Amino acid sequence: MELFAVILVDGLIYGAWLFIVSVGLTLVFGVLNILNLAHGSLYAVGAYTTASAVGAYFAFGGDGFPIGSYAVMIIAAVLVAIVIGPLLERGLLRHFYGRDEVLAVLVTYGVFLILEDVMKLIWGVDPYFVYQPYDLLGSVEVGPLYYVSYDFLVIAVAIIVGLLVWFVINRTRQGKVVLAVIHDREMSQAMGVNVDRVFMAAFAAGVFLAALGGALTAPMISVSPGISVNVIILAFAVVIIGGLGSIEGAAIGAVVVGVARAASVHLLPEAELFIIYLVMAAVLVFRPEGLFQKTQARKI
Amino acid sequence: MTLLRSVPAASALAFAALVLAGFVLPDWAMFLVTMAFAKGLVALGIVGLMRGGLVSFGQGLYFCIGAYVSGLMANWTGITDIFLLSLLGVLAAGAIGTIFGPLLANYRGIFFAMLSLSLSMILYGALSKMTTLGGTDGLNVAAPTFLGYAPEGRPLGLALYLYTSAIVVLVGGLMRGLFNSQRGLIALAIRDNELRIEYLGASVRTAMAINYVIAAVLGGLGGVISGLAIGHVDPEFSFWTTSGEFVFVAILSGYLSIPAVFVGSILLEVVRSFSNLYFPNTWQLALGIFLLLVIVLLPRGLGSLTLRRRKAKEQA
Amino acid sequence: MSELALEAEALHKRFGAISAAEGITMGVPKGAIWSLIGSNGAGKTTFVNMVTGYVKPDHGRIAFEGRDITRLSPRQITRLGIRRSFQIPQLCAGLSVLENMLISLTINGEHPPSFWRPASHATEVDRAIDILERFRIADYRDRLMGELPAGVRKLLDIAMAMSGHPRVMLLDEPTSGVAAEEKYPIMDLVMEALSAEEVTILFVEHDMDIVTRYSQRVLAFYDGRIIADDAPDEVLADPDVQRYVTGEL
């Protein structure tokens, strides 16, 4: 029973993190119909930028007000979004709208390759450590175990991000415009919607969410080359399980994968590396389009 | 020029040229071409899938199976004969492909790409954890023998190169025949309009599954040769970035010409070698820019270059 | 009474709130030539889609020559001998007219498609050109779909469906999008080719001249139901049909 509780808590923490790193991917796919292989790289850029920014914050007297480092993390993510988002979307991706999905995947694969090395050029290959934000909140006792409070902050952020994305899309005027574009791009254009702007905003939001995931993660890990590769694979599994383009699906997919991984860590450690793909394959066998699938229009 | 239109004649000519080149090429270039050809075989399998509209992002799976078969057979049973190892690698990859092919054939586009990717990552994860198979360090592979002939040093490199060239020419010729065949035309039609093909009474799923198994077999064959040429295999063979490079070559080459696949593969290996030499930290950067340029400038791949010229000639 | 080629029994189909079939029942005798009329959304294409397996009815049963085909896939139904053409021609856009025709012949040939026999083997090419000539579109043989007039695309679509020797042929608006002067030639051609093999024909049509000229019997659809079922003149004189279908009242 205790083991069950441990698996559940670990699973939720990991699931929350997974949701944050994958929700941007599903959002971008939902609006732009592009599966962004560079999503993991954007996450890594967010992590590196945060590592540098938080490092600088503490180097220049942030010790007096350590909680301010959280603001620095968010600012770093915003910075990444407004610099890289429009650059990638306007400069490259927009030429591939409405073309073959797989071709667009390859384009983002190219972006992934480029960003990997650009990061090495900027930040080198040595790892960065910014543990301060992670230790700041101390730890909490849950039953017989101690958890770092920061882990629960991740859960809180995941919930806030999820609700915020849901609210913006379903309850605001801008969100309705986005839904209209998703539903029928040509028609929205004819109705006077600036589709270009919707795409740019959606992509920037996706970049922000990826970078935010990186920013949140930076204090928990050693930021080094290769972190993007693992994240992109995880995020893919999550959004495919949930159904490409579905925010609710990403949330459920993240929790499913999180709990599955926690269970595997505690019960069957050998399977940890591939349990996620097993879950994904199992879901797809029964629901080929993922848990939440888009309805398809009649073709003939 | 009409001689080149005949597949057997063109194949024989290509093989003769490759054999001659083998006696001139320096060791490093011979190794480069051997590796490029081995990986080109994997990419050719993807090209076959692409003709039907599918792209597999997980051919590393079969590449890895082939490579491990060559390594394990030598370690466990002492088999080092390259013909036998190739056959075993092909059988293993083909068997696994036959299991997954019919399952994956229900999926299209992104789903197919990502499911095939996840299969290869399952193998990667499993191999990394299996200490009996060397874990993340992988295994050393014994040098191959050729029907009892056991060369060392340069003769070994040359023998591998010649073997690979022969395979490439043979497989290339067979695949050209397949692409031109009735099944080949049906694959192209499926890419355009699956619904119509089903309404003509053919099974799209079967066609896709067959293409998948062929791609698996070619992946296994490429893996065997790569494992033997490098002398070492590790789980990276199944990692998704390895698969990404195969897709890269397939896209670079396009599905119009088979020689283009091997030319594209050599081009990639050359870019990789030179980047490694001169910009050791930025070869991925070079590769990425190269990929984007190809997609923008040659949307139908290298193969479209010769086709364009031929069309221009016909119109003139 | 002659044997039935096609039977539908109490077919129901809903798409969300819209009812596309609400108790469709019919029995089409072998060799009959019937037409289906009705305004857009009346359920004609849904009926064709149900018969050919593209959509499954919520309830009801469909039989072909006495055999239940309700749950079969489009491919299985096609294999049994029910062929269809499409309102929007379904062609392979990246291939030429000749290649489209070759695909059809290859799939419906005596032998299963071969892994080594060239697709453009002279035997098949000659047969394909024969058929294209019969449909008077052989001049377009090397053109791609994007460059073809609508009428040629329509004919190619029908020719591909017919090359499989159907026993029941469903034509979904064979003359829509075709220039007025091409309509009769197209229908003459199709009817001539099909009547030689005693094929049962159902065609969906908006053009009442075509309907009266070619069909022996007319089924008028409205809101997923058949509201009239009789000889062309009788159906067209029906006040309900005039109100809901032809819009004359």
Side-chain angles (χ1 to χ4, degrees):
Chain A
M1 202 55 218
E2 194 184 288
L3 183 65
F4 180 73
V6 170
I7 288 175
L8 199 67
V9 175
D10 280 1
L12 281 179
I13 292 171
Y14 190 60
W17 176 79
L18 275 176
F19 176 71
I20 298 170
V21 300
S22 34
V23 65
L25 184 66
T26 210
L27 178 73
V28 167
F29 185 85
V31 180
L32 285 75
N33 228 6
I34 285 181
L35 192 62
N36 183 10
L37 272 177
H39 188 79
S41 308
L42 299 169
Y43 155 92
V45 172
Y48 270 116
T49 309
T50 301
S52 294
V54 171
Y57 180 75
F58 284 107
F60 292 99
D63 290 328
F65 185 58
I67 218 86
S69 59
Y70 292 134
V72 174
M73 287 160 64
I74 293 179
I75 293 169
V78 170
L79 206 67
V80 171
I82 55 179
V83 173
I84 299 190
L87 193 71
L88 267 187
E89 197 272 342
R90 285 293 94 185
L92 189 66
L93 295 181
R94 72 187 170 99
H95 302 293
F96 297 93
Y97 295 151
R99 289 173 65 182
D100 188 8
E101 282 178 357
V102 176
L103 189 70
V105 169
L106 276 162
V107 169
T108 63
Y109 176 63
V111 174
F112 156 80
L113 292 172
I114 292 171
L115 283 179
E116 285 306 286
D117 277 353
V118 167
M119 279 188 278
K120 278 187 213 150
L121 290 177
I122 298 178
W123 283 286
V125 292
D126 296 327
Y128 284 67
F129 296 96
V130 274
Y131 54 89
Q132 295 93 335
Y134 189 60
D135 293 344
L136 211 52
L137 301 175
S139 56
V140 285
E141 206 181 323
V142 181
L145 291 165
Y146 284 92
Y147 282 91
V148 178
S149 305
Y150 190 87
D151 288 340
F152 292 98
L153 180 70
V154 172
I155 297 189
V157 172
I159 293 172
I160 294 169
V161 164
L163 289 178
L164 210 63
V165 172
W166 180 86
F167 181 82
V168 170
I169 289 182
N170 293 298
R171 287 287 181 273
T172 65
R173 217 189 68 80
Q174 285 82 357
K176 296 222 162 67
V177 171
V178 172
L179 287 178
V181 171
I182 292 174
H183 186 71
D184 192 334
R185 200 172 126 199
E186 276 86 30
M187 186 66 94
S188 322
Q189 205 143 25
M191 307 276 280
V193 172
N194 187 340
V195 173
D196 277 0
R197 213 163 61 196
V198 171
F199 279 17
M200 198 161 68
F203 189 75
V207 175
F208 170 71
L209 290 167
L212 181 68
L216 271 176
T217 315
M220 302 196 272
I221 59 169
S222 70
V223 181
S224 53
I227 56 171
S228 43
V229 175
N230 297 323
V231 160
I232 186 61
I233 294 296
L234 292 172
F236 271 137
V238 166
V239 302
I240 292 214
I241 287 170
L244 276 169
S246 161
I247 306 287
E248 305 92 309
I252 292 185
V255 172
V256 168
V257 169
V259 173
R261 177 177 173 269
S264 147
V265 166
H266 289 285
L267 303 173
L268 190 69
E270 297 80 17
E272 188 206 328
L273 271 174
F274 55 90
I275 186 82
I276 291 158
Y277 311 113
L278 283 184
V279 172
M280 173 174 146
V283 168
L284 286 186
V285 165
F286 294 105
R287 293 189 66 101
E289 308 257 299
L291 296 172
F292 289 78
Q293 53 206 44
K294 282 196 254 180
T295 49
Q296 297 242 318
R298 190 178 104 183
K299 275 182 264 169
I300 50 173
Chain B
M1 276 322 266
T2 44
L3 187 66
L4 284 176
R5 291 287 173 83
S6 134
V7 174
S11 304
L13 216 63
F15 185 61
L18 286 170
V19 170
L20 285 179
F23 293 96
V24 208
L25 287 175
D27 287 0
W28 65 268
M30 213 152 61
F31 176 73
L32 185 146
V33 173
T34 305
M35 284 305 292
F37 278 0
K39 292 179 177 178
L41 287 171
V42 190
L44 183 56
I46 299 179
V47 168
L49 283 166
M50 263 165 53
R51 286 170 53 93
L54 293 179
V55 174
S56 162
F57 247 87
Q59 287 314 98
L61 174 68
Y62 300 103
F63 186 62
C64 189
I65 288 173
Y68 268 75
V69 163
S70 69
L72 291 174
M73 279 300 138
N75 287 1
W76 289 350
T77 63
I79 296 175
T80 53
D81 185 74
I82 196 165
F83 292 92
L84 204 51
L85 288 176
S86 300
L87 181 68
L88 290 169
V90 159
L91 287 179
I96 303 287
T98 310
I99 295 171
F100 290 130
L103 289 173
L104 287 172
N106 290 324
Y107 297 89
R108 298 290 174 269
I110 294 293
F111 288 95
F112 178 84
M114 291 301 134
L115 255 180
S116 55
L117 182 149
S118 80
L119 288 177
S120 70
M121 290 303 289
I122 291 177
L123 181 66
Y124 172 79
L127 286 176
S128 301
K129 286 277 171 183
M130 276 195 243
T131 42
T132 47
L133 300 186
T136 46
D137 292 338
L139 306 164
N140 284 325
V141 182
T145 54
F146 301 78
L147 301 174
Y149 170 57
E152 281 171 45
R154 179 169 166 96
L156 174 61
L158 181 63
L160 255 173
Y161 165 83
L162 291 177
Y163 177 78
T164 312
S165 300
I167 295 265
V168 159
V169 169
L170 183 70
V171 167
L174 286 176
M175 289 298 274
R176 176 38 68 201
L178 176 69
F179 289 174
N180 286 347
S181 77
Q182 297 183 333
R183 291 270 181 185
L185 185 60
I186 291 175
L188 277 183
I190 288 173
R191 175 197 180 89
D192 276 348
N193 195 336
E194 283 187 25
L195 188 74
R196 171 45 106 179
I197 299 309
E198 286 278 327
Y199 269 116
L200 285 174
S203 167
V204 169
R205 213 182 136 208
T206 307
M208 297 292 198
I210 290 171
N211 285 349
Y212 184 81
V213 174
I214 292 172
V217 163
L218 292 182
L221 193 54
V224 170
I225 295 172
S226 298
L228 294 173
I230 300 173
H232 184 84
V233 295
D234 63 45
E236 289 282 320
F237 275 61
S238 191
F239 201 61
W240 72 275
T241 49
T242 308
S243 302
E245 281 178 32
F246 298 138
V247 176
F248 178 101
V249 172
I251 296 285
L252 172 65
S253 322
Y255 63 87
L256 299 169
S257 152
I258 285 176
V261 177
F262 297 99
V263 173
S265 191
I266 290 176
L267 210 57
L268 177 67
E269 289 300 315
V270 168
V271 170
R272 187 212 306 278
S273 305
F274 279 83
S275 308
N276 264 336
L277 207 57
Y278 296 108
F279 327 98
N281 279 324
T282 53
W283 86 266
Q284 292 194 98
L285 180 69
L287 197 64
I289 293 173
F290 186 35
L291 174 63
L292 292 183
L293 285 177
V294 168
I295 291 176
V296 172
L297 300 178
L298 285 177
R300 300 178 70 189
L302 281 178
S304 63
L305 289 177
T306 56
L307 197 80
R308 241 182 257 169
R309 219 180 41 215
R310 200 179 296 163
K311 272 216 168 126
K313 217 181 243 173
E314 272 165 16
Q315 272 162 10
Chain C
M1 200 180 127
S2 68
E3 235 182 301
L4 293 179
L6 195 67
E7 293 161 81
E9 222 176 273
L11 294 180
H12 284 79
K13 181 72 195 178
R14 297 186 74 84
F15 294 104
I18 302 155
S19 183
E22 217 167 288
I24 304 270
T25 298
M26 69 171 76
V28 191
K30 278 189 181 161
I33 302 173
W34 289 12
S35 59
L36 315 178
I37 62 171
S39 51
N40 286 325
K44 309 175 303 289
T45 295
T46 299
F47 174 74
V48 172
N49 284 345
M50 283 193 290
V51 171
T52 55
Y54 185 67
V55 297
K56 303 288 172 226
D58 299 333
H59 310 285
R61 180 174 168 277
I62 305 164
F64 168 62
E65 296 180 351
R67 174 180 174 172
D68 190 332
I69 58 165
T70 320
R71 298 284 143 199
L72 298 187
S73 71
R75 180 170 54 89
Q76 291 166 315
I77 292 171
T78 301
R79 282 269 168 216
L80 287 177
I82 299 181
R83 302 269 161 158
R84 71 173 292 182
S85 73
F86 298 84
Q87 195 179 330
I88 304 156
Q90 295 292 320
L91 307 166
C92 299
L95 304 181
S96 67
V97 170
L98 177 64
E99 284 168 324
N100 270 280
M101 204 61 226
L102 280 172
I103 289 278
S104 187
L105 291 177
T106 301
I107 295 175
N108 293 299
E110 286 163 47
H111 308 287
S114 159
F115 286 97
W116 56 271
R117 188 180 170 90
S120 53
H121 193 280
T123 319
E124 278 82 28
V125 170
D126 286 349
R127 277 183 57 208
I129 291 176
D130 257 7
I131 297 175
L132 294 178
E133 269 168 0
R134 235 170 60 207
F135 281 84
R136 294 174 209 145
I137 51 176
D139 290 348
Y140 298 94
R141 51 178 282 186
D142 294 323
R143 301 276 205 92
L144 297 178
M145 297 307 112
E147 313 163 341
L148 294 180
V152 176
R153 266 183 281 187
K154 205 93 205 183
L155 277 173
L156 179 59
D157 183 78
I158 295 171
M160 285 170 76
M162 284 174 35
S163 67
H165 302 287
R167 283 189 283 168
V168 170
M169 182 77 199
L170 300 151
L171 299 159
D172 197 352
E173 301 196 18
T175 68
S176 74
V178 170
E181 67 274 14
E182 288 181 44
K183 282 181 182 178
Y184 293 110
I186 286 186
M187 286 304 284
D188 285 340
L189 213 62
V190 172
M191 292 299 164
E192 186 194 308
L194 290 172
S195 63
E197 302 185 31
E198 294 197 307
V199 178
T200 310
I201 305 169
L202 288 183
F203 66 95
V204 174
E205 189 52 69
H206 284 296
D207 187 321
M208 293 308 144
D209 295 334
I210 302 274
V211 168
T212 37
R213 178 153 164 185
Y214 294 98
S215 54
Q216 303 153 346
R217 193 176 176 122
V218 180
L219 308 182
F221 280 65
Y222 178 72
D223 258 0
R225 280 170 294 121
I226 296 173
I227 55 169
D229 170 3
D230 212 329
D233 293 340
E234 308 291 329
V235 169
L236 293 182
D238 186 308
D240 278 345
V241 171
Q242 290 179 351
R243 182 175 305 128
Y244 297 126
V245 182
T246 53
E248 283 167 23
L249 275 185

